[in-house]
């Protein structure tokens, strides 16, 4: 868990033990895998939904999410590792069934699980650059959660 006293005293610098580069690779690659799967679920939602305004929102959310995968991959590369690339996953493996409400419920659950995984990582002593990347991606995930809640309300009202 990060030390708030060190953070307050050192502001942007860091002192003490942080995770090694290899540990960082081992911790970030599962996040990349989880995020790529989440992105495939967003893609399935875009294919499934027929409301143009909802699709537009989902596509904007997905664009940011794809960028975030790139940030995580760059972090792994900068630590000398090979980032997970998702080539073993196929978009067809992420077909969604049920109502549109079920779809957004599932997306919300997956996004919440990803956000929780990011929070767990932020509790560790990552290097400052990695912490910054994780915080930015967590913020983007929280934005997606807010948007998904709004979309769920919109779908509930129109049903």
């Amino acid at each position: 868990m990060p030390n708030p006293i060190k953070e307050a005293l050192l502001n942007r610098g860091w002192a003490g033990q942080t995770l090694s580069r290899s540990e960082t690779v081992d911790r970030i690659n599962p996040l990349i895998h989880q995020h790529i799967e989440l992105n495939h679920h967003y893609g399935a939602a875009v294919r499934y939904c027929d409301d143009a305004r909802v699709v537009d929102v989902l596509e904007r959310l997905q664009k940011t999410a794809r960028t975030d995968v790139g940030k995580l991959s760059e972090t792994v590369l900068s630590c000398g590792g090979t980032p997970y690339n998702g080539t073993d996953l196929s978009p067809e493996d992420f077909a969604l069934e049920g109502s549109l409400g079920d779809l957004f419920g599932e997306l919300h659950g997956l996004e919440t699980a990803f956000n929780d995984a990011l929070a767990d990582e932020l509790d560790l002593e990552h290097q400052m650059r990695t912490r910054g990347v994780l915080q930015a991606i967590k913020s983007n995930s929280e934005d997606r959660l807010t948007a998904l809640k709004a979309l769920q309300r919109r779908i509930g009202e129109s049903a």
Side-chain angles (χ1 to χ4, degrees):
M1 178 169 217
N3 185 329
I5 295 171
K6 278 199 274 186
E7 287 186 21
L9 289 175
L10 299 174
N11 195 11
R12 292 173 21 181
W14 197 251
Q17 288 287 94
T18 58
L19 294 176
S20 70
R21 293 162 50 110
S22 64
E23 289 171 319
T24 298
V25 170
D26 291 343
R27 304 230 27 117
I28 299 298
N29 262 331
L31 287 176
I32 295 171
H33 188 276
Q34 187 176 5
H35 207 348
I36 289 173
E37 285 184 349
L38 179 61
N39 286 346
H40 278 295
H41 281 282
Y42 275 101
V46 166
R47 290 189 304 274
Y48 181 82
C49 188
D50 57 359
D51 183 330
R53 289 185 289 181
V54 172
V55 168
D56 183 54
V57 171
L58 289 172
E59 286 176 339
R60 281 187 281 130
L61 296 174
Q62 192 178 26
K63 182 177 180 182
T64 302
R66 285 185 184 130
T67 302
D68 287 346
V69 169
K71 291 175 188 175
L72 289 170
S73 295
E74 287 174 14
T75 300
V76 169
L77 287 169
S78 72
C79 290
T82 302
Y84 174 75
N85 62 16
T87 56
D88 59 326
L89 303 174
S90 173
E92 294 81 37
D93 296 337
F94 297 89
L96 300 168
E97 297 177 10
S99 71
L100 209 49
D102 294 340
L103 165 87
F104 284 104
E106 183 179 355
L107 272 176
H108 191 274
L110 293 167
E111 189 72 61
T112 299
F114 179 66
N115 195 281
D116 291 346
L118 290 168
D120 291 344
E121 285 303 312
L122 284 166
D123 284 342
L124 301 176
E125 295 284 353
H126 280 284
Q127 297 171 11
M128 289 304 289
R129 181 181 180 278
T130 303
R131 287 186 64 72
V133 168
L134 291 170
Q135 287 168 339
I137 292 171
K138 186 170 185 331
S139 175
N140 290 340
S141 176
E142 289 166 356
D143 291 345
R144 287 191 300 273
L145 282 169
T146 301
L148 286 171
K149 286 178 189 172
L151 289 173
Q152 282 178 301
R153 279 193 306 272
R154 174 183 160 83
I155 288 168
E157 292 169 0
S158 66

